[in-house]
Amino acid sequence: MSLEAYFGNKHVIVTGGSSGIGLALAETLVRLGSEVTLVARREGPLLEAKAKAEAARPGARVHVLPLDISDAEAVQVGLTPHLEAHPAQMLINNAGVAMPGRFLEMDPAQYRQQMDINYFGMLHMCQVVVPHLVAQGGGHVCNVGSLLSVMGIYGYSAYAATKFAMYGFSECLRAELKPLNVRVTMLLPPDTDTPQHAMEIAHLPEETKAIAGNVKMLSAQQVADACLKGMEAGRFDVVPGMDGRMTVTANRWLPGVARWVCDNAAKKVSGARGEA
Ligand SMILES: NC(=O)c1ccc[n+]([C@@H]2O[C@H](COP(=O)([O-])OP(=O)(O)OC[C@H]3O[C@@H](n4cnc5c(N)ncnc54)[C@H](OP(=O)(O)O)[C@@H]3O)[C@@H](O)[C@H]2O)c1
């Protein structure tokens, strides 16, 4: 099936649709003929994103829903009437935050904050949207994880825990929803050139930079294109880019070697600082 046939005339909800990967997804979906709802906290960037998405196709239907997905009640109250007015067929849980740092130096509040948005935010959206999809006889949920959904590296103990949690949840959801005609996809992007990534770089330990340098950074558009292609193909795991796919494969089949490569990259930096 073509992407136009799969996504055209479908209403797709995209969380984090005002920036980065979410905005690239929204603009591409609009070009493919989808009706799109963009969810994020700040209304200003949402309205700017709506204007950009509408410019992608004359007559496009783009809605904005300003809400904080970490607030279960706000999601319920904001989304329920919206779905009644505009039934949806797909949900892309893309909103997320990342704050790297060494465990021993990390603000303890970061562990809960990132889990509240990345994991519980996704969960709150699923709790409202999945019953709606099932009631309509089918649909598709895509959860945006990370390469750090399947491997943990130096400097990401808070973030990787949230993305591993998403992965476990999504595997269970896939199995339960398959007989109900709702597909589940898990997107595992590598480093992607977005506003969040630019902010992350400023906080990355040198060891993490040395490890991450092994995987080529992609553009938000490359990640969005891979995501939609993988969804249309009905895949569960979607890993954009060759480097990302090789990393996931190596980590899955040769985890000891993958750890050795990462440890050595980190050691070179720690060694240069006189710590090893
Ligand atoms: N960039 C990368 O290198 C990379 C790599 C792998 C995976 N990812 C994942 O890809 C996803 C998108 O990342 P990105 O880099 O495109 O990020 P981004 O440019 O910073 O965009 C994040 C989006 O999420 C929204 N958001 C954040 N917290 C929210 C909340 N509590 N409620 C509702 N919306 C919220 C933001 O809008 P507001 O701030 O206005 O709410 C924004 O629209 C994330 O899940 C991220 O973990 C990114």
Side-chain angles (χ1 to χ4, degrees):
M1 193 187 282
S2 69
L3 291 181
E4 284 84 357
Y6 193 67
F7 293 102
N9 294 318
K10 304 271 172 31
H11 175 200
V12 188
I13 299 172
V14 183
T15 69
S18 60
S19 174
I21 296 169
L23 177 56
L25 280 166
E27 289 176 309
T28 311
L29 284 163
V30 165
R31 275 196 290 275
L32 292 171
S34 308
E35 176 181 357
V36 174
T37 293
L38 310 175
V39 177
R41 290 166 298 190
R42 291 167 299 153
E43 194 166 15
L46 272 174
L47 292 173
E48 283 169 31
K50 174 179 156 75
K52 281 185 195 158
E54 283 172 342
R57 186 172 55 89
R61 280 189 297 169
V62 181
H63 316 280
V64 298
L65 210 50
L67 56 86
D68 182 345
I69 59 166
S70 69
D71 179 340
E73 201 186 329
V75 171
Q76 178 83 40
V77 169
L79 208 49
T80 306
H82 186 70
L83 288 174
E84 277 164 17
H86 310 281
Q89 288 76 42
M90 298 189 191
L91 165 65
I92 304 183
N93 278 309
N94 160 78
V97 292
M99 179 54 73
R102 298 182 184 89
F103 171 71
L104 291 173
E105 296 161 4
M106 194 80 162
D107 172 1
Q110 272 300 326
Y111 285 85
R112 197 167 293 279
Q113 198 174 316
Q114 291 182 56
M115 194 61 92
D116 276 345
I117 297 174
N118 298 359
Y119 176 71
F120 284 106
M122 170 217 61
L123 180 68
H124 299 150
M125 291 296 297
C126 286
Q127 283 169 333
V128 177
V129 178
V130 169
H132 171 82
L133 300 181
V134 171
Q136 290 187 98
H140 202 144
V141 176
C142 173
N143 293 330
V144 179
S146 158
L147 289 185
L148 300 180
S149 292
V150 292
M151 65 186 295
I153 64 166
Y154 192 116
Y156 274 112
S157 59
Y159 178 73
T162 71
K163 295 293 181 178
F164 266 66
M166 285 178 84
Y167 195 88
F169 169 81
S170 304
E171 274 203 317
C172 301
L173 198 68
R174 184 207 66 80
E176 292 185 25
L177 298 186
K178 190 175 179 191
L180 301 173
N181 201 28
V182 178
R183 285 177 168 180
V184 176
T185 290
M186 185 81 203
L187 180 72
L188 309 178
D191 278 354
T192 308
D193 190 7
T194 67
Q196 175 173 287
H197 188 263
M199 186 279 294
E200 256 176 87
I201 290 281
H203 297 272
L204 275 189
E206 288 304 316
E207 288 85 348
T208 317
K209 283 186 197 163
I211 296 165
N214 288 316
V215 179
K216 190 180 160 212
M217 184 155 83
L218 299 182
S219 69
Q221 190 61 55
Q222 285 173 308
V223 171
D225 289 343
C227 176
L228 299 179
K229 223 170 130 189
M231 285 176 72
E232 185 276 324
R235 295 216 301 275
F236 175 69
D237 280 324
V238 176
V239 186
M242 185 56 82
D243 282 10
R245 284 194 288 282
M246 281 168 57
T247 303
V248 169
T249 305
N251 191 61
R252 206 161 262 170
W253 297 105
L254 298 166
V257 174
R259 280 183 210 124
W260 181 85
V261 170
C262 291
D263 287 350
N264 267 312
K267 196 171 159 191
K268 277 187 197 146
V269 177
S270 313
R273 283 207 318 264
E275 287 177 11

